[in-house]
């Protein structure tokens, strides 16, 4: 049994920004290859269709890649197909090369829909597949709508529901998106046949998916909120399941194989785990902290983190290590929100120092900052380097949105900070 390595809280915070490519922010070169660099490091990026300040995966990449453009990722998804969408921790973008290890989501959905949707609506399923075979890609709006059926959260047009089901089952894949409209085609037209034919047993696939969560975050523990482990299984197997099916057993296998190493972080309850390949980064973080160096040895940068950025996945960890209580309130009723609809954490150096609610307003050509909140005890004007770094992050977001200006809050509370920011933005 490997004894846990002890890590100070300061070294853990430093390790997180080094490992996530945020020390400094936007350090990767402005090219599509940098998207794959991030994906190779994090393993997968969560996809969310909401586009208030930018789509979630675009914001993850914007924080790490200089001059990031959304068409780079779209090209990797729908042209070269180096990435594809599947369910990992929610709907995610993963490397197509790893498809054989993620197809468990397809196989499970296929069994579920075979026994329900595909059987009940067999004539329409056959009609849709015939149309795609003959005419090519198909969107739900290309077919006359049929009666609504119960579907997940709400009743949905049969055509849309069955196209989604065929996509979930791996019969169809996304050929492209036009906004949030999805176009489907046969998977054999989209991906190499030899890749589709490659199979790994369920144990290998679940172990790979579990490793992907540790790979994405960098310092996950054994527990945490349920969404951290979606699609992997229970912490402890049911009595009638094989013992290996539990997360506990799969994680033990990863430790035994040397893929994961246990660590104990100062002030954080329970063991956490780092990838064995990250030991060099952990050592570098400890040296930087001991020598009182800034993150990455350069001036501190600022970045706005996506709501589903792997850095922020473990909300309990954020509270324990950063004293930062973050809840993405997009699904919280407006009257119950503490902060706002689409609020992003502000990272400065290796600390979470506040929150910002940016909105891309294409009609007026402005990046509107609807809200800005600093953490208790943090003074942005008294913090060396914060104002120019924050102004740079705002301007990066403005350029990403193709906008002409930044509109800052006009409240009395923010007046001194806004005045200082305007000098730099000008």
């Amino acid at each position: 049994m490997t004894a846990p390595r002890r890590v100070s809280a300061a070294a853990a915070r430093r390790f997180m920004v080094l490992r996530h490519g945020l020390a400094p922010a936007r350090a990767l070169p402005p090219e599509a290859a940098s998207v794959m660099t991030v994906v190779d490091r994090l393993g997968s990026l969560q996809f969310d269709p909401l586009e208030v300040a930018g789509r979630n995966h675009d914001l993850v990449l914007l924080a790490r890649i200089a001059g990031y453009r959304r068409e780079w990722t779209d090209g990797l998804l729908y042209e070269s197909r180096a990435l594809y969408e599947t369910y990992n921790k929610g709907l995610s973008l993963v490397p197509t090369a790893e498809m054989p290890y993620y197809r468990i989501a397809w196989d499970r959905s296929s069994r579920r829909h075979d026994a329900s949707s595909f059987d009940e609506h067999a004539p329409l399923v056959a009609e849709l597949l015939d149309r795609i075979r003959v005419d090519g890609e198909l969107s739900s709006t290309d077919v006359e709508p049929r009666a609504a059926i119960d579907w997940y959260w709400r009743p949905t047009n049969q055509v849309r529901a069955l196209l989604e089901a065929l996509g979930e089952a791996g019969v169809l894949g996304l050929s492209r998106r036009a906004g949030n409209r999805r176009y489907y085609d046969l998977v054999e037209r989209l991906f190499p046949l030899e890749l589709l034919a490659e199979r790994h047993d369920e144990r290998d696939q679940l172990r790979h998916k579990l490793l992907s969560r540790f790979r994405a975050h960098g310092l996950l523990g054994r527990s945490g909120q349920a969404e951290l482990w979606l699609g992997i299984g229970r912490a402890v197997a049911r009595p009638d399941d094989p013992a290996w099916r539990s997360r506990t057993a799969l994680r033990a296998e990863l430790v035994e194989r040397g893929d994961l190493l246990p660590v104990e972080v100062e002030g954080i309850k329970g063991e956490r785990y780092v990838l064995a390949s990250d030991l060099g980064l952990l050592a570098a973080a400890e040296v930087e902290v001991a020598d009182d160096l800034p993150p990455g040895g350069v001036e501190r940068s600022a970045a706005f983190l996506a709501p589903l950025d792997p850095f922020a996945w473990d909300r309990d960890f954020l509270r324990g290590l950063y004293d930062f209580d973050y809840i993405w309130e997009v699904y919280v009723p407006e009257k119950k929100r503490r902060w706002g609809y689409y609020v992003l954490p502000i990272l400065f150096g290796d600390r979470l120092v506040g929150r910002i609610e940016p909105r891309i307003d294409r009609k007026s050509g402005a990046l509107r900052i609807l809200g800005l909140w600093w953490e208790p005890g943090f003074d942005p004007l008294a913090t060396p380097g914060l104002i120019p770094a924050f102004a740079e992050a705002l301007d990066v977001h403005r350029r990403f949105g193709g906008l002409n200006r930044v509109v800052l809050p006009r409240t009395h509370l923010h007046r001194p900070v806004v005045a200082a920011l305007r000098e730099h933005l000008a």
Side-chain angles (χ1 to χ4, degrees):
M1 188 72 175
T2 304
R5 176 170 176 164
R6 301 195 176 202
V7 180
S8 71
R13 287 191 290 267
R14 185 62 53 90
F15 167 75
M16 286 293 286
V17 292
L18 290 174
R19 193 193 179 279
H20 278 268
L22 294 167
R26 301 173 294 277
L28 290 173
E31 58 189 20
S34 293
V35 175
M36 292 306 298
T37 298
V38 175
V39 173
D40 288 343
R41 168 60 63 88
L42 302 180
S44 65
L45 304 176
Q46 277 188 259
F47 178 91
D48 187 272
L50 289 177
E51 192 164 1
V52 177
R55 299 172 299 181
N56 180 76
H57 67 277
D58 289 322
L59 296 179
V60 172
L61 296 164
L62 181 64
R64 293 161 171 85
I65 301 173
Y68 170 73
R69 307 305 305 164
R70 59 181 289 162
E71 53 264 27
W72 297 342
T73 306
D74 289 346
L76 292 165
L77 280 166
Y78 312 127
E79 295 172 17
S80 69
R81 303 200 185 278
L83 299 174
Y84 83 109
E85 294 184 23
T86 193
Y87 282 89
N88 188 22
K89 180 185 174 291
L91 185 59
S92 301
L93 313 183
V94 305
T96 303
E98 297 179 23
M99 180 183 289
Y101 289 98
Y102 284 111
R103 66 171 303 127
I104 187 172
W106 284 354
D107 296 339
R108 286 178 168 178
S109 292
S110 179
R111 291 193 293 269
R112 186 175 74 253
H113 289 304
D114 279 344
S116 55
S117 307
F118 295 161
D119 181 55
E120 185 178 352
H121 304 283
L124 182 53
V125 170
E127 177 188 336
L128 295 173
L129 291 177
D130 284 344
R131 286 190 60 162
I132 291 173
R133 287 191 190 99
V134 174
D135 299 328
E137 67 174 20
L138 187 72
S139 168
S140 62
T141 58
D142 295 330
V143 181
E144 180 182 350
R146 312 296 164 89
I149 58 174
D150 288 336
W151 193 249
Y152 294 116
W153 298 281
R154 64 183 183 276
T156 301
N157 165 23
Q158 286 181 58
V159 173
R160 176 180 174 181
L162 292 174
L163 285 173
E164 285 184 4
L166 289 164
E168 291 173 0
V171 178
L172 301 179
L174 282 187
S175 59
R176 63 188 173 97
R177 284 179 181 265
N180 283 326
R181 180 178 298 174
R182 290 166 288 185
Y183 287 82
Y184 296 90
D185 205 344
L186 301 172
V187 290
E188 56 264 34
R189 290 176 177 165
L190 303 176
F191 305 112
L193 294 180
E194 60 271 21
L195 194 65
L196 293 170
E198 185 178 338
R199 292 289 192 275
H200 296 272
D201 67 31
E202 187 172 294
R203 185 174 190 160
D204 287 342
Q205 292 185 67
L206 287 174
R207 189 169 53 227
H208 183 86
K209 290 189 74 169
L210 179 61
L211 182 60
S212 78
R213 308 303 163 85
F214 291 98
R215 179 179 167 191
H217 181 269
L219 264 178
L220 281 183
R222 297 180 178 181
S223 57
Q225 57 268 37
E227 58 264 28
L228 286 170
W229 314 110
L230 283 174
I232 297 173
R234 293 173 172 80
V236 179
R238 288 176 172 173
D240 55 343
D241 282 339
W244 63 261
R245 194 180 286 274
S246 72
R247 294 199 312 265
T248 301
L250 292 169
R251 186 183 62 248
E253 288 184 19
L254 291 169
V255 173
E256 185 177 351
R257 286 157 48 121
D259 295 325
L260 291 178
L261 298 175
V263 297
E264 291 180 351
V265 179
E266 176 191 9
I268 303 297
K269 184 179 179 180
E271 281 186 357
R272 306 192 80 81
Y273 298 87
V274 298
L275 270 63
S277 55
D278 285 340
L279 279 183
L281 280 177
L282 185 56
E286 291 171 327
V287 169
E288 284 191 3
V289 169
D291 293 347
D292 197 24
L293 298 173
V298 297
E299 288 187 9
R300 287 172 170 81
S301 61
F304 310 144
L305 300 182
L308 300 173
D309 193 305
F311 187 100
W313 273 4
D314 191 341
R315 310 304 200 209
D316 293 338
F317 186 63
L318 291 185
R319 282 190 288 270
L321 189 63
Y322 298 89
D323 194 23
F324 190 83
D325 187 15
Y326 180 61
I327 297 175
W328 190 32
E329 296 181 309
V330 70
Y331 299 115
V332 175
E334 184 175 0
K335 291 182 179 179
K336 294 185 177 181
R337 289 180 197 140
R338 185 179 177 189
W339 308 107
Y341 178 70
Y342 206 95
V343 172
L344 312 180
I346 301 170
L347 179 72
F348 179 59
D350 59 2
R351 301 304 300 258
L352 293 169
V353 299
R355 304 152 208 268
I356 187 169
E357 186 175 12
R359 183 158 299 179
I360 291 176
D361 183 352
R362 300 193 191 282
K363 187 174 181 180
S364 68
L367 176 67
R368 298 188 179 277
I369 308 306
L370 304 186
L372 180 60
W373 304 267
W374 303 107
E375 285 295 277
F378 181 79
D379 185 347
L381 293 175
T383 304
L386 183 281
I387 293 298
F390 190 75
E392 179 185 352
L394 286 170
D395 198 52
V396 163
H397 211 118
R398 175 192 66 78
R399 285 184 275 120
F400 162 73
L403 306 169
N404 302 318
R405 59 200 175 103
V406 177
V407 177
L408 296 163
R410 295 184 178 182
T411 63
H412 175 76
L413 176 66
H414 295 305
R415 191 172 296 165
V417 172
V418 167
L421 287 171
R422 281 180 177 149
E423 291 184 19
H424 289 273
L425 289 171

